[in-house]
């Protein structure tokens, strides 16, 4: 079986981890992989998994196992023959890997004939050879980069001059790629994948550089990384490739995508912001708001670290499951207990600066804290101001008792200073 299948990696949400230049093309649900009787290198049948076709591999994924078959190891794809018998059993097609013949039994929904056509196209395109060629060229250029003489016998530039020349050649190549990409819309569409890969390489180079003490330089690097991260998703899930599993696969890809934006937004981000970021990353493969909402709603059925939440005001956000409202409330209580806040209260902007989130999200947290009885709200022409709730400190038996301790006493002292 090791001669047929290779181990495949998956993300936390169950999506396959693709290699360089690899793109998803199609998939089928509820697929069995069975060995043909009488063939060598037999294996134990794989039952009820998702079969994903990429430009480089066939991936079979289930909740317990993930394996792949490199397209380069497929020696023959058998033509599908229609017969009376085929009417009464599940659709199936066969292909050969070395001496083993594998039968693909499609028990779920999906257009298996389109999948088979795509398999033929990817197998004939031999995209994996382009990746191999680029790696070999890179290694050859690296190995030939040593010494004072080039492969053609010319003297190689070394030292600072050589480094500057190499940088100039790299930027000239990058500039040429950008010029070619922006000639017209068709060229841009054809170059989109190349631009995404280029941006990913640049981002990795930035991440690998040593930390700088220059604040301006650090800010520029962070800004560049933010821009590169939003350039695109190399293999976005589409209705054409995912078929009936479109929303399920979209949900898994979205769960992987929101991880970095959530970390930067303090563990919570609005659904509208994610819609903009996700569509920008998908490039021309835009999704509708309804598709995004359905994808987020499916998170309840899967073991993913994020969730969709709806506040009492109707605002919907995406947050980490590890996000704790109690921790937020504790930070808000500390903020409103400060002398200045005791006198003038706090706004959503004040809370946003403390929590490190957007003002809109901070306002929702303040309103939730108010509903829990931690805060009181004052509405004025200047907007909402939130104050510490003093009513729990007042004794119903003696309404006029002035306490000289606790938050009530701190409020009295703050009010006296302002007066």
């Amino acid at each position: 079986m090791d001669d047929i299948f290779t181990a495949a990696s998956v993300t936390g949400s169950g999506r396959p981890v693709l290699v360089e230049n690899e793109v998803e093309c199609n998939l089928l649900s509820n697929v069995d992989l069975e060995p043909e009787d009488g063939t060598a290198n037999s294996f134990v049948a794989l039952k009820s998994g998702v079969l994903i076709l990429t430009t480089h591999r066939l991936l079979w994924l289930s909740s317990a196992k993930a394996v792949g078959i490199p397209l380069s190891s497929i020696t023959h794809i058998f033509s599908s023959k229609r017969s009376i018998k085929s009417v009464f059993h599940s659709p199936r097609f066969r292909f050969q890997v070395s001496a083993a013949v594998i039968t693909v039994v499609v028990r779920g929904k999906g257009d298996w004939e389109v999948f088979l056509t795509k398999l033929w196209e990817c197998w004939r395109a031999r995209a994996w050879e382009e990746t191999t060629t680029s790696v070999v060229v890179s290694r050859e250029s690296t190995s030939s980069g040593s010494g004072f003489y080039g492969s053609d016998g010319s003297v190689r530039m070394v030292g600072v001059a050589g480094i500057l020349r190499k940088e100039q050649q790299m930027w000239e190549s990058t500039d040429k790629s950008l010029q070619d990409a922006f000639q017209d819309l068709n060229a841009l569409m054809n170059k989109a994948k190349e631009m995404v890969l280029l941006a990913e390489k640049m981002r990795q180079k930035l991440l690998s550089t040593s930390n700088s003490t220059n604040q301006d330089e650090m800010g520029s690097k962070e800004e560049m990384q933010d821009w590169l991260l939003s350039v695109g998703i190399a293999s976005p899930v589409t209705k054409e490739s995912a078929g009936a599993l479109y929303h399920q696969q979209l949900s898994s890809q979205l769960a992987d995508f929101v991880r970095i934006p959530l970390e930067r937004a303090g563990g919570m981000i609005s659904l509208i912001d994610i819609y903009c970021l996700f569509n920008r990353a998908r490039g021309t493969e835009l999704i509708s708001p309804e598709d995004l909402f359905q994808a987020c709603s499916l998170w309840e059925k899967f073991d993913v670290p994020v969730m969709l939440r709806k506040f009492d005001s109707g605002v919907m956000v995406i947050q980490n499951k590890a996000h704790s409202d109690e921790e937020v409330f504790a930070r808000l209580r500390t903020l409103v207990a400060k002398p200045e806040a005791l006198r003038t209260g706090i706004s959503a902007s004040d809370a946003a600066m403390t929590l490190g989130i957007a003002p809109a999200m901070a306002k929702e947290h303040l309103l939730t804290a108010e509903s829990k009885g931690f805060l009181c709200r004052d509405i004025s022409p200047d907007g909402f101001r939130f104050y510490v709730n003093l009513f729990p400190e007042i004794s119903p038996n003696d309404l006029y008792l002035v306490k000289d301790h606790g938050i009530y006493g701190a409020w009295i002292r703050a009010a006296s200073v302002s007066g």
Side-chain angles (χ1 to χ4, degrees), residues 142-160:
T142 302
S143 61
S144 63
S146 59
F148 293 97
Y149 299 94
S151 57
D152 57 353
S154 60
V155 179
R156 187 183 307 278
M157 297 188 69
V158 296
V160 175

Side-chain angles (χ1 to χ4, degrees), residues 79-93:
S79 300
S80 177
K81 297 181 180 179
R82 294 185 178 274
S83 62
I84 298 297
K85 184 179 179 181
S86 64
V87 178
F88 300 99
H89 61 58
S90 301
R92 59 192 64 201
F93 58 90

Side-chain angles (χ1 to χ4, degrees), residues 2 147 214 350:
D2 293 338
N214 190 325
D350 299 330

Side-chain angles (χ1 to χ4, degrees), residues 266-340:
M268 180 179 293
I269 191 169
S270 70
L271 200 60
I272 296 175
D273 291 342
I274 282 295
Y275 177 74
C276 296
L277 292 172
F278 194 49
N279 264 336
R280 184 172 65 176
R282 288 175 64 88
T284 58
E285 302 292 346
L286 305 181
I287 64 171
S288 66
E290 182 64 24
D291 287 338
L292 180 73
F293 178 72
Q294 289 189 33
C296 294
S297 300
L298 288 176
W299 285 339
E300 298 178 357
K301 302 179 181 179
F302 305 113
D303 184 19
V304 294
V306 293
M307 59 179 289
L308 180 65
R309 176 181 179 181
K310 186 176 182 180
F311 284 100
D312 295 336
S313 62
V315 174
M316 287 188 289
V317 300
I318 295 173
Q319 71 173 42
N320 287 321
K321 287 184 177 179
H323 179 83
S324 172
D325 281 348
E326 296 302 325
E327 180 182 349
V328 174
F329 294 156
R331 296 175 67 180
L332 289 177
R333 284 197 294 265
T334 302
L335 178 61
V336 296
K338 294 181 178 180
E340 182 65 24

Side-chain angles (χ1 to χ4, degrees), residues 163-202:
I163 295 174
L164 292 176
R165 181 176 184 132
K166 186 176 180 181
E167 289 289 331
Q168 182 181 357
Q169 291 175 348
M170 183 187 68
W171 285 114
E172 286 177 355
S173 176
T174 303
D175 184 61
K176 185 177 183 302
S177 297
L178 290 172
Q179 289 179 1
D180 292 343
F182 286 98
Q183 282 181 356
D184 52 48
L185 185 58
N186 291 331
L188 178 61
M189 294 287 290
N190 294 331
K191 289 284 186 177
K193 179 183 173 183
E194 182 181 340
M195 293 297 100
V196 171
L197 295 175
L198 176 61
E200 179 63 19
K201 291 179 181 178
M202 293 174 65

